Amino acid sequence: MSKLRVESFTISIDGFGAGPNQNLENPLGAGGPALHQWAWPTKTFRTLFGHDGGTTGTDEEFAARGFRNIGAWIMGRNMFGPIRGPWPDMNWKGWWGDNPPYHTQVFVLTHHPRESITMDGGTTFHFVTDGIFSALARARQAANGLDVRLGGGVATIQQYLRAGLVDEMHIAVAPILLGSGERLFADLNMLSLGYQCAEHAASSNATHLVIKKKM
Amino acid sequence: MSKLRVESFTISIDGFGAGPNQNLENPLGAGGPALHQWAWPTKTFRTLFGHDGGTTGTDEEFAARGFRNIGAWIMGRNMFGPIRGPWPDMNWKGWWGDNPPYHTQVFVLTHHPRESITMDGGTTFHFVTDGIFSALARARQAANGLDVRLGGGVATIQQYLRAGLVDEMHIAVAPILLGSGERLFADLNMLSLGYQCAEHAASSNATHLVIKKKM
């Protein structure tokens, strides 16, 4: 059965998945990049961005699992780019570069229609304007039996959690305070939604938790 | 300089310091006791409640540091007992038993006056009705140069954080979801308040973080 999975999503001690004031220079908001200090040094993330080497161990194991068995991605528009409102410039193709690190079909949730964009390396961005259920149906079809990975941001993940559609989440808790921003679990009752912590492990950089639906 | 310290305060992955529906049977609310699974097996907590043995290691180190150099305690009324409104029964002396695990003077914040109660083992409960500053001044005097430990609950800690009076906090993050309850960092901007994470360590049961005021 194809699962919908959140992977390597990091929150601060005070619960924020992104800092305040996200923009083109600060996709993760003020202070946000510090969330991912556990991820950048790992072999998986270094390879993803074209570098050699990288760490192995707990952080790497969790980074790597996020890319296993993934046949398609869904993301919120903020993860594609910082644009709000209608698309001002069709030549700008997201902040992931010519060869984005997805290598699958990627379904971007937006209120503003746009033609699909085929990038290098097998990534195609599709822009879905008819909601989360439609995006999931299309992603599942594209994944062809593999799992669908749900990227951020917080608002996108919250919508899928509320609808009970997320099967599994790997959350990392980074040892930093962000003070403000978008709180992953704001106004969400994860117990009522049927989730529990199924697995946890810690490195010196982060605590990793796997949250699953109760059977 | 005598510090005001929060120690061994545990929150869930989703940020709650206590579960919902606190009452006499469930001082920590529904699901709340699971927060402290890291603490009960430690030598410090076992000794505190009159048992032999107990674990050593990371969890024990953090449990033990919470009792070092402490000369007085402050706690919210909910940590003394589940009573709301005027005191109905002066014979009920809190849910800590005849020999409470404090062994110092303890200043209980309440809106309802009550005579001090001297317990076995050196614990005296004082009931402070004129606010958090007064409680801290009295606790500092009682501590006589040692630090003051600030117990829970969440509302009490939040008041002292907002007033900028907490010098140091040891927070444990337990690998559980509580779903609802009292959220420690709700409506608090810890960065604006001048705090940062100064130290972190993880065991297989919890992640421990020490939060301090920036110098």
Side-chain angles (χ1 to χ4, degrees), chain A residues 11 13-16 171 173-180 183 185-192 195-197 200 202-207 209 211, chain B residues 11 13-16 171 173-180 183 185-192 195-197 200 202-207 209 211:
Chain A
I11 60 176
I13 305 166
D14 43 355
F16 298 103
I171 300 290
V173 181
I176 62 165
L177 293 165
L178 281 178
S180 60
R183 200 189 285 281
F185 295 118
D187 303 319
L188 278 186
N189 186 324
M190 291 291 287
L191 286 194
S192 302
Y195 292 94
Q196 64 186 1
C197 183
H200 65 102
S203 74
S204 57
N205 304 306
T207 297
L209 306 132
I211 296 171
Chain B
I11 60 177
I13 305 167
D14 44 353
F16 299 104
I171 301 289
V173 181
I176 62 165
L177 293 165
L178 281 179
S180 60
R183 199 188 287 279
F185 294 119
D187 303 319
L188 277 186
N189 186 324
M190 290 293 285
L191 286 194
S192 303
Y195 292 95
Q196 64 185 2
C197 184
H200 65 102
S203 73
S204 57
N205 304 306
T207 297
L209 307 131
I211 296 169

Side-chain angles (χ1 to χ4, degrees), chain B residues 100-148:
Chain B
Y102 302 107
H103 314 296
T104 65
Q105 295 189 60
V106 177
F107 297 85
V108 180
L109 292 159
T110 172
H111 296 292
H112 301 279
R114 178 170 176 171
E115 295 290 314
S116 298
I117 314 173
T118 301
M119 310 292 291
D120 295 343
T123 299
T124 302
F125 291 111
H126 302 287
F127 299 88
V128 180
T129 55
D130 52 354
I132 63 168
F133 292 92
S134 167
L136 181 56
R138 291 179 61 186
R140 277 210 206 283
Q141 190 165 26
N144 197 19
L146 298 180
D147 293 343
V148 175

